[in-house]
Every structure is written in C-alpha cells, then in structure tokens.
Amino acid sequence: MYKQMKYVGNILMNAILAVAFMSMLFVSCSDNDDIPGGPDPDLKVRAYVACEGNFTKGTASLNAIMEDGTVQTDIFRNANNRPLGDVAQSFSIIDGKIFITLNNSEKIEVVNESDYKSVATILYPERTISPQYVMQIDDHRAVVSDLWNAFLWIIDTKEYKVLQEIPVSTYSTKQMAVADGKLFVTLAAKKIAVISLSSLKVIKELDIPVVGDSKLLKDKNGLIWALACGFDDDPESIIPWTVTSLNGIDPTTLETVKTVKFPSDYTVSKFGARLDINQAKDKLYLNVIHDNKEGIYSFPIDGEQLPAEPLFVYSDKVELLYNMAVSPEETIFICDALDYRQRGWVYEFDLSGKRLNEYQVGIIPQYILFK
C-alpha cells in the first residue's frame, strides 16, 4: 500500500515509485454511475467507505453502503460539485461531521453527515503535511496523525483550524487509541508512543513494532491490543515480513500484560495484516498468511494462542485485500482493490466464509466505518 510503505530508505523509495508509476499508468476510465444529489432521507447508511483513488490523480471518493444494499458512490463530489482530493486515507465522524483525511492533498475535508455538504477544509499552511487518521480527544479537539512527519497535530473540531503540534521521536505517526487519559499512537512500524492528554507530551515509548496500518484496539476490559510484526535479517529493513504476536497493554501501568506469540511461519499479506474487534469487544479478528493460504483468524481476548486454522480462506475469493473490518453483526467486510485501475469492491462474508453481499465502490477502497 502506497501509504503503508512510505517510510524512508532505498527499499521504500523503490516501492513508492513503482506504485506511483502503476497508478499513473492505470487510471480508471470506468463509467460514472454515481447517484446524483443529496442523500435519500428514506435510506439509512450502514457503512461509509473511503477510497484512495489513484495517486496524484485526485480520484479519491467517499461512498455510502445503505441498509437496503444499494451504494451511493462519490457522495462528496455529488454534494459539492468538486472532487474530494488526492488519496483518502481515513475519516472520523465527530458531532455529526465527517472529517476526511486526504494525505497527498495535505488537507482534511469536513462535511455534514446529513447532506455531505462541505463545512470546512482544514489546511496547515506553515507545514508540509500528510494527514492519516483523526482521533477525537474531547468535545472540541481531535488529534491528527501524519505520514511523513515526526509529530501529530491538534485540530479544533468546532472552528476547523490547527491548534498545535505534539512532537514524537520518529517520522510517520499512524493509528491511535485513547484510554485512561492517554493517547496511544504507532510510530513508523517501530514503536507505540504514549501521550498524556493533559500535558500533550510523550510520557513513554513501548517497544512494540505494529504492523503497518493495523489498528490499536481497546477491549471490554480496557486493554489496548496491538499486532506486532517482525522484519528480515537486514537491520535497515522497513517492510515487515511476519506477524510475531498479539499484545495486550494495560493503559494504566503501560505494561504488556498479555502476549500471544505466533509461530514463525505466519506472514503478512501484500499490504500487511489487519486487526479489528467485534462489537462486544471480546474477540479480535485478523488476516494473515499461513501454510500458503490467506485467511481470517479469530482470537478471544482471554485465549492463549491463535487457532491453528482460519475461520475461512479468502485468497480464492478476493483478488487483492487492501483492508478488512468487522461489522456490528460480526460479519467480515473485505476491501478488494483489484488492479488499482478500476472501481473496487467491498465484500461481506459470514464467519464460515460465505459471501453475503458485494458492493462496488470507488478506486482502491481503503477504510470502512460502520454506523
């Protein structure tokens, strides 16, 4: 994944150039079947999907999967008569507003959830930025992680402006979680920084190298879970090759109180392993490769080891898994980016691997948020 591999080093730069070249070569020319106008008040949204679009082409989109199974595509463009921007990484819903990060456009677009009309565009003129994820920390502030920089930034979610920065020890801040008055954030697949929300300063770094864009998740007991990765023998390697352990962190003591180690032959898929949790917050789900098969595994938070067999193998049903998420109904949604040059799909599977639904969205579906 373009953003996942954008660290530093020669290996990384080669990967970026290759993906950028492929993206520029294979720009989608598919027909536009977007639904015009604003949202239908008689239809309810089941999930939103952010699609990256092709790098440098400004084809990012926000899409809505409705409860009746229909899809409203490119809803920002339809509501505002202008493109969303370049490379949509993620979005958060705060006080009825959708905050969408566009990392190559160096901005956050804010829209009303009710009609998708633009409310504001958050820029940071003093800096070159690449916003990744947005995490609300109180009733008027949120933290934004940044792909390229060694800091996070605070935004005012009422006045839509940048307030300040939080410096960290290394570049590329990514996924975040909040617990016990602290913000946990992954740093360049090397560590987890812990930041006091009262002082907005780093109080500790945890030596847990989190897989790429894998989430930090809080379970029903308050533990923060992180999926750790391993690298090859090259000390300068920046692309993980294996998944090594699931780690449960006590947010009060900042100690790892549970570690579930994986056998050495569990490896990451092309865009890394992904981690999510069910609505009851008692079972984790992840995708890894084992025995040459890509599958979805489940892990109860009180378990002792990862099951030997996956719930189901998806590699014969999905061309290119780009992300995955667990729905409130405990079904598995998988983003299929196909070949990057056409509109992708979101597939919904039950826990046996039966495909329940399929939804065609925009180019390179990346991030899912359920209502």
Side-chain angles (χ1 to χ4, degrees):
M1 182 171 60
Y2 156 64
K3 298 171 294 307
Q4 176 184 328
M5 297 190 296
K6 269 177 92 176
Y7 301 130
V8 294
N10 292 334
I11 296 175
L12 172 64
M13 293 309 298
N14 290 337
I16 294 173
L17 290 172
V19 174
F21 176 75
M22 292 296 290
S23 296
M24 287 184 283
L25 251 176
F26 299 124
V27 179
S28 173
C29 295
S30 61
D31 293 336
N32 185 351
D33 60 355
D34 297 348
I35 297 174
D40 185 338
D42 295 327
L43 296 178
K44 295 186 181 300
V45 175
R46 185 180 181 198
Y48 291 107
V49 182
C51 295
E52 288 184 7
N54 294 119
F55 177 50
T56 76
K57 299 301 180 180
T59 51
S61 65
L62 183 64
N63 308 264
I65 297 173
M66 314 307 288
E67 288 186 350
D68 69 349
T70 60
V71 180
Q72 295 186 3
T73 58
D74 212 351
I75 55 180
F76 179 92
R77 183 194 293 267
N78 289 332
N80 298 286
N81 296 313
R82 63 181 175 90
L84 177 60
D86 195 23
V87 186
Q89 173 68 29
S90 72
F91 58 94
S92 294
I93 300 176
I94 302 173
D95 297 331
K97 306 292 189 297
I98 307 176
F99 290 70
I100 312 161
T101 60
L102 286 304
N103 58 44
N104 203 47
S105 292
E106 301 186 15
K107 66 178 181 177
I108 299 173
E109 288 284 0
V110 185
V111 302
N112 285 318
E113 190 184 5
S114 59
D115 59 9
Y116 312 131
K117 293 288 187 181
S118 176
V119 174
T121 300
I122 302 176
L123 303 172
Y124 197 176
E126 294 82 6
R127 291 279 197 174
T128 298
I129 56 169
S130 187
Q132 290 279 88
Y133 299 93
V134 177
M135 174 67 66
Q136 185 177 15
I137 58 174
D138 59 32
D139 64 356
H140 70 283
R141 294 182 302 167
V143 180
V144 182
S145 60
D146 195 286
L147 177 63
W148 282 116
N149 293 298
F151 60 76
L152 302 99
W153 29 296
I154 306 291
I155 58 172
D156 189 311
T157 57
K158 307 292 187 184
E159 298 185 4
Y160 313 114
K161 63 182 181 180
V162 178
L163 298 175
Q164 68 181 91
E165 297 175 3
I166 304 174
V168 292
S169 64
T170 188
Y171 59 90
S172 195
T173 55
K174 285 185 172 287
Q175 295 274 16
M176 297 175 285
V178 170
D180 194 45
K182 305 177 185 75
L183 177 75
F184 296 75
V185 57
T186 61
L187 303 179
K190 297 296 183 184
K191 296 181 179 182
I192 299 174
V194 184
I195 296 167
S196 166
L197 290 180
S198 59
S199 67
L200 296 181
K201 294 181 179 179
V202 176
I203 56 177
K204 189 173 184 179
E205 288 187 345
L206 309 178
D207 290 320
I208 301 175
V210 177
V211 179
D213 284 277
S214 179
K215 295 177 181 176
L216 297 177
L217 298 166
K218 185 164 65 173
D219 72 15
K220 69 175 185 179
N221 299 322
L223 292 187
I224 298 292
W225 286 90
L227 181 61
C229 62
F231 299 86
D232 62 16
D233 294 332
D234 181 357
E236 300 301 318
S237 176
I238 45 75
I239 300 176
W241 296 104
T242 61
V243 285
T244 58
S245 60
L246 275 169
N247 302 269
I249 305 162
D250 186 322
T252 302
T253 64
L254 302 182
E255 298 294 329
T256 300
V257 296
K258 186 161 189 175
T259 301
V260 179
K261 294 186 177 180
F262 296 178
S264 60
D265 57 348
Y266 281 73
T267 60
V268 300
S269 63
K270 184 174 182 180
F271 291 106
R274 298 290 183 257
L275 184 67
D276 209 351
I277 197 166
N278 63 350
Q279 193 167 36
K281 307 295 185 186
D282 61 2
K283 190 180 296 181
L284 298 164
Y285 290 88
L286 65 154
N287 69 298
V288 291
I289 299 175
H290 180 235
D291 198 23
N292 294 318
K293 293 179 289 189
E294 294 189 37
I296 301 294
Y297 288 77
S298 67
F299 175 77
I301 60 173
D302 58 355
E304 297 301 325
Q305 62 184 21
L306 194 70
E309 296 296 328
L311 292 172
F312 64 91
V313 172
Y314 61 80
S315 48
D316 58 341
K317 306 170 184 177
V318 176
E319 187 169 336
L320 181 61
L321 183 145
Y322 212 63
N323 211 337
M324 76 96 178
V326 181
S327 75
E329 297 78 26
E330 209 152 345
T331 57
I332 308 298
F333 278 56
I334 292 179
C335 295
D336 191 344
L338 301 176
D339 57 3
Y340 309 107
R341 57 179 160 181
Q342 58 185 300
R343 291 172 54 199
W345 292 84
V346 174
Y347 300 124
E348 180 182 7
F349 297 93
D350 68 15
L351 298 185
S352 72
K354 178 183 177 182
R355 184 183 291 180
L356 303 176
N357 294 293
E358 54 185 41
Y359 310 100
Q360 191 174 27
V361 288
I363 301 170
I364 313 179
Q366 149 67 13
Y367 192 83
I368 301 174
L369 186 63
F370 298 98
K371 287 286 291 179

